Amino acid sequence: MKSKYLLFSILCTLYFSPAGAQTAEAQKVTTRSTMIGLGGTSVLDTYLSDEHFSGPGLSFVATIERTRPDTPWATLMEHEANLSSVKDRADSKKELEGTYNFYWARLYGWQLAEGRLRLQAGAAVNASVGFVYNTGNGNNPAQARAHLNLMPTGVATYRFTLLGRQLSARYELNLPLAGVMFSPNYGQSYYEIFSRGNYDHNIVPTTLVSAPEWRHMLTVDAVLGRQLTLRVGYLGNMQQAKVNNLRYHTYTHRLLIGITKRFSIIKR
């Protein structure tokens, strides 16, 4: 009888020991991807000009996803910074456009096809700031942009093997629901807004009707080592709005290349 009690005590000690807790903590997995993108940009901002501008652009995209095996929920964070040099159709005027987007999402996941297919759905909060500078304007040469959006989000990831190499295809889609954005009114100068404090409906509620947006990203991962993966893909981010009798849009198309690392986090 004493030997049974002793064996039971040893098993309890091993189960509740710090090492056991550390193993459970090690199940927290972080997938981090860093990419550079090149492609075209189309810009329209009727506060500065009625002309459409287009040209090349550069993007930096970083994604961080945190998951745990004991819950279907995941946290996704994405940083997207764009810089473009665009010109009008007559090649007489130029604009410099820059935008930074931050996305924070909570996603619920389902595992299908014997674990090869993972579907995730949830919502993301998108905070965006940016600018457009028109080199040909004397008055009001620049326009500031800022908006905050709530966006339904979906992700599909499929793992497969091709020519003996492990591959993973991932598609992400973000659509707008509602938000707020900053915009001067038609004919209103920034001097009136910030120096004289003349508010004229400059914080505008937006919906998918007044500010439609479509952001999607398709990537393919190829495993190179135990913790290193090559990622290539495409990112399209179409942001537009029609508020205060002004129209805006920035369409970016990027070919992406970067690396992905997957590692466990152990809290001591």
Side-chain angles (χ1 to χ4, degrees):
M1 185 64 68
K2 290 183 178 181
S3 61
K4 291 182 178 180
Y5 283 124
L6 179 60
L7 178 60
F8 179 76
S9 301
I10 293 173
L11 291 175
C12 289
T13 301
L14 291 174
Y15 183 80
F16 293 106
S17 66
Q22 202 174 87
T23 303
E25 291 290 345
Q27 298 299 318
K28 293 183 178 180
V29 177
T30 296
T31 303
R32 185 188 302 269
S33 177
T34 304
M35 295 173 287
I36 296 293
L38 293 173
T41 303
S42 174
V43 177
L44 171 67
D45 191 325
T46 58
Y47 181 78
L48 300 175
S49 172
D50 290 330
E51 283 289 336
H52 289 76
F53 291 74
S54 60
L58 173 70
S59 294
F60 170 81
V61 181
T63 67
I64 302 171
E65 183 177 7
R66 294 192 174 100
T67 60
R68 289 175 58 113
D70 57 350
T71 175
W73 289 97
T75 300
L76 177 65
M77 292 178 288
E78 295 184 329
H79 304 268
E80 179 189 333
N82 303 303
L83 185 64
S84 303
S85 177
V86 294
K87 59 185 179 181
D88 65 359
R89 289 168 288 186
D91 197 11
S92 60
K93 294 182 180 180
K94 294 184 178 180
E95 288 184 342
L96 182 65
E97 185 272 338
T99 308
Y100 168 73
N101 287 282
F102 174 72
Y103 301 86
W104 185 93
R106 285 287 286 170
L107 303 172
Y108 188 91
W110 298 267
Q111 295 286 349
L112 305 172
E114 300 179 346
R116 296 191 304 274
L117 175 63
R118 181 175 65 161
L119 300 179
Q120 296 171 283
V125 176
N126 165 225
S128 177
V129 294
F131 70 92
V132 179
Y133 176 74
N134 189 304
T135 60
N137 284 7
N139 295 325
N140 295 332
Q143 163 75 305
R145 297 179 175 182
H147 74 237
L148 185 67
N149 270 347
L150 178 63
M151 309 184 73
T153 300
V155 180
T157 305
Y158 184 71
R159 296 177 175 84
F160 59 100
T161 301
L162 181 64
L163 301 177
R165 186 172 295 277
Q166 296 180 18
L167 301 175
S168 177
R170 180 182 184 275
Y171 179 74
E172 178 183 342
L173 176 64
N174 308 96
L175 298 172
L177 182 61
V180 293
M181 72 176 297
F182 164 81
S183 173
N185 215 319
Y186 182 80
Q188 184 186 26
S189 69
Y190 278 84
Y191 173 77
E192 294 177 81
I193 300 173
F194 296 108
S195 296
R196 303 188 64 178
N198 292 340
Y199 176 82
D200 189 10
H201 200 242
N202 301 125
I203 305 299
V204 186
T206 59
T207 66
L208 57 87
V209 176
S210 62
E213 182 176 341
W214 180 33
R215 179 182 184 265
H216 62 140
M217 179 165 54
L218 174 64
T219 58
V220 176
D221 290 353
V223 177
L224 301 180
R226 292 185 60 184
Q227 293 185 333
L228 184 62
T229 300
L230 174 68
R231 173 169 288 191
V232 295
Y234 162 80
L235 170 65
N237 195 345
M238 279 61 77
Q239 297 182 345
Q240 54 188 330
K242 185 178 181 181
V243 296
N244 288 345
N245 297 309
L246 298 171
R247 290 184 297 129
Y248 314 92
H249 80 225
T250 301
Y251 304 150
T252 59
H253 303 275
R254 300 288 189 263
L255 294 177
L256 304 171
I257 186 168
I259 58 173
T260 298
K261 291 185 177 181
R262 181 182 173 92
F263 54 91
S264 300
I265 298 177
I266 302 175
K267 291 185 179 180
R268 299 183 182 276

